[in-house]
Amino acid sequence: MPARRVAVIGTGYVGLTTGACLASLGHVVVCADADPHKVERLREAQVDILEPGLPETVRDALDADRLDFTGDTAAAVAEAEVVFLCLPTPMGAGGAADLAAVEAVAAQIRDVLPPGCVVVNKSTVPVGTCERVAALLGRDDVAVVSNPEFLREGRAVQDFLHPDRIVIGSADRDAARQVADLYAALDAPLVLTDAASAELTKYAANFFLAMKLSFANNLATVCERFGADIADVTEGIGRDPRIGSAFLRPGPGWGGSCLPKDTHALLTVCDLAGVDFPLLRATIETNVAHQRQLVDRVAAACGRAEDGSLHGVRLALYGLTFKAGTSDLRDSPALSVARLLRERGAELTAYDPALREERPDLSDLVELVDDPVRAAEGAAACLVLTEWPELRDLDWAAIAARMAGHEVHDFRNLLDPDRLARAGLSWQGIGRADAPTRVA
């Protein structure tokens, strides 16, 4: 297929990945962003998002003159054949998605869009947003299409270039085909549908993943009660192709930039539509209850089981980002657990390998340090909250020497219990009654 002229509005995680990857497929792409400092850095291939392969993809596209960045949104869309809206849709009042950024850009570009242009909602938006954007544009000669993203942080470039499906929704099949043609070089199943179905597909996918995680966390508690091993149980059920092994690892709850806001947004629109969705509500409530249960466990281990207070108790946290391989802290379950600990009065010191150079201001919550051994100074217990592989190879003997206590609460089941025992530490995972004796 011939190269198309594409504009991408927004250079966040989704927008930058979309723009750079479309350019890598041979299209000519202009990405617009309201932050002039960010635009200048991106023009120099300075990518501030920690995402494997993304800096190289941006640099290669810039060198090939297929990618450019601008702060002028009107100029970006003036000659575009396809315009992607990759804008933030954070959780708003009452849990609904906040569409202010999408609506503002629609009003900004409506008079400068070329006739025949196709506007694509790439942002995660509620059902009916395509119709809303079309009404705001007020252009009979401009079609609006839904094309939700299914990108995993830490694998975004890989997921874009090797997708397991491409979903495109619109009542205008010609416009939908124009968007599909952008992906012609990719070998992936294409789902062509209406806009409402495409919009709902994204929310339904994230809800299902959140549901599997809540299930795994609840199942871990069942395993502990009956002396079963969560790793073996999830392997046993995950090998059933009807279930699958993905998203069955227990942890400190689910979070990130998508699952919390999307589950709440779906629940909100269902409530407004008069649709009862108890499974969705239970999925959210289970996540919150699970995190409180983990904090209760820490309090009990510190001898505070009666009142649950952690006043004066120092704890070391290992990992704050919502998952390994990213520096993203948005709705991180690690931070959710940290807030619950602080509410109980705990004093927190944290180490995260992704936050050694990029030091966000978390001073109201934790003391962030760049030395994992220093993080353990005077700690009654250590908590592993993010599944960074490098945490396995820390000097746990040196950490033990700095601690006041000896407990390690491994809420990712990441560490080797025997190695910790040799360092003089007591390991406690999730869904494991004890450090298990494995059968060879």
Side-chain angles (χ1 to χ4, degrees):
M1 297 299 297
R4 307 296 295 275
R5 298 188 304 276
V6 177
V8 176
I9 313 303
T11 60
Y13 166 73
V14 173
L16 186 57
T17 302
T18 298
C21 288
L22 285 174
S24 77
L25 295 177
H27 303 294
V28 179
V29 182
V30 178
C31 295
D33 197 280
D35 184 343
H37 175 68
K38 188 176 184 181
V39 168
E40 288 305 314
R41 285 183 57 78
L42 288 172
R43 282 177 171 166
E44 298 298 323
Q46 300 297 314
V47 176
D48 295 325
I49 300 171
L50 179 58
E51 185 62 46
L54 186 55
E56 296 83 359
T57 305
V58 169
R59 186 180 304 110
D60 290 347
L62 285 168
D63 290 344
D65 290 328
R66 289 196 299 267
L67 180 64
D68 196 9
F69 298 92
T70 181
D72 189 339
T73 300
V77 305
E79 297 183 358
E81 298 171 87
V82 182
V83 176
F84 283 85
L85 303 183
C86 300
L87 300 160
T89 54
M91 191 187 307
D98 183 351
L99 299 178
V102 174
E103 294 176 348
V105 168
Q108 184 181 2
I109 66 176
R110 62 187 171 200
D111 295 328
V112 293
L113 290 170
C117 179
V118 178
V119 173
V120 182
N121 268 338
K122 196 72 170 172
S123 308
T124 301
V125 293
V127 175
T129 303
C130 269
E131 292 182 0
R132 172 66 176 156
V133 171
L136 289 171
L137 293 176
R139 295 278 300 271
D140 293 336
D141 58 344
V142 172
V144 181
V145 173
S146 174
N147 175 216
E149 54 86 13
F150 300 98
L151 306 178
R152 294 168 292 176
E153 292 196 39
R155 293 181 56 88
V157 174
Q158 176 77 8
D159 285 347
F160 192 102
L161 297 177
H162 303 278
D164 47 27
R165 80 283 206 196
I166 297 170
V167 178
I168 300 173
S170 177
D172 186 330
R173 286 304 168 117
D174 180 64
R177 279 292 173 188
Q178 288 186 57
V179 176
D181 287 346
L182 296 173
Y183 303 102
L186 304 180
D187 181 19
L190 180 63
V191 180
L192 287 178
T193 184
D194 58 275
S197 297
E199 291 164 338
L200 187 55
T201 296
K202 172 64 175 180
Y203 278 111
N206 280 349
F207 160 48
F208 194 85
L209 296 177
M211 181 181 64
K212 287 188 74 174
L213 289 169
S214 282
F215 167 78
N217 287 330
N218 254 12
L219 186 61
T221 302
V222 175
C223 287
E224 291 171 4
R225 184 62 57 88
F226 292 107
D229 187 327
I230 186 64
D232 291 342
V233 173
T234 53
E235 181 180 6
I237 65 175
R239 288 187 179 276
D240 185 330
R242 297 169 300 174
I243 297 173
S245 60
F247 282 72
L248 283 180
R249 291 179 62 89
W254 45 265
S257 61
C258 295
L259 298 190
K261 74 178 183 68
D262 291 351
T263 50
H264 281 89
L266 180 57
L267 183 61
T268 299
V269 297
C270 286
D271 286 344
L272 291 173
V275 177
D276 188 23
F277 209 154
L279 185 58
L280 173 55
R281 195 180 307 276
T283 293
I284 298 170
E285 292 172 351
T286 297
N287 193 50
V288 175
H290 174 68
Q291 292 175 337
R292 289 176 179 154
Q293 180 185 28
L294 295 183
V295 173
D296 288 340
R297 175 183 299 185
V298 173
C302 293
R304 305 294 183 89
E306 289 189 8
D307 63 2
S309 169
L310 287 166
H311 284 285
V313 175
R314 179 173 292 279
L315 299 171
L317 310 183
Y318 289 90
L320 293 179
T321 58
F322 95 92
K323 62 184 287 189
T326 177
S327 59
D328 198 344
L329 294 169
R330 288 176 292 175
D331 280 306
S332 168
L335 292 183
S336 295
V337 171
R339 292 187 186 97
L340 292 172
L341 293 168
R342 281 290 295 145
E343 288 173 6
R344 304 274 188 101
E347 300 171 6
L348 307 176
T349 305
Y351 165 79
D352 190 296
L355 304 179
R356 284 175 292 187
E357 297 180 5
E358 179 183 334
R359 301 292 292 274
D361 184 9
L362 299 170
S363 56
D364 62 330
L365 182 62
V366 301
E367 178 189 1
L368 185 60
V369 300
D370 58 8
D371 180 354
V373 176
R374 180 187 165 198
E377 188 71 47
C382 295
L383 281 62
V384 175
L385 297 173
T386 307
E387 70 280 21
W388 287 104
E390 34 285 62
L391 297 182
R392 296 190 183 101
D393 298 321
L394 296 182
D395 187 344
W396 286 101
I399 289 172
R402 295 288 192 98
M403 293 175 63
H406 62 274
E407 295 274 349
V408 175
H409 296 273
D410 184 359
F411 292 152
R412 294 286 187 173
N413 288 346
L414 179 73
L415 308 179
D416 179 354
D418 293 334
R419 181 174 181 179
L420 293 186
R422 290 193 295 271
L425 295 169
S426 175
W427 176 89
Q428 178 64 54
I430 294 182
R432 311 277 284 276
D434 299 293
T437 300
R438 305 294 296 177
V439 178

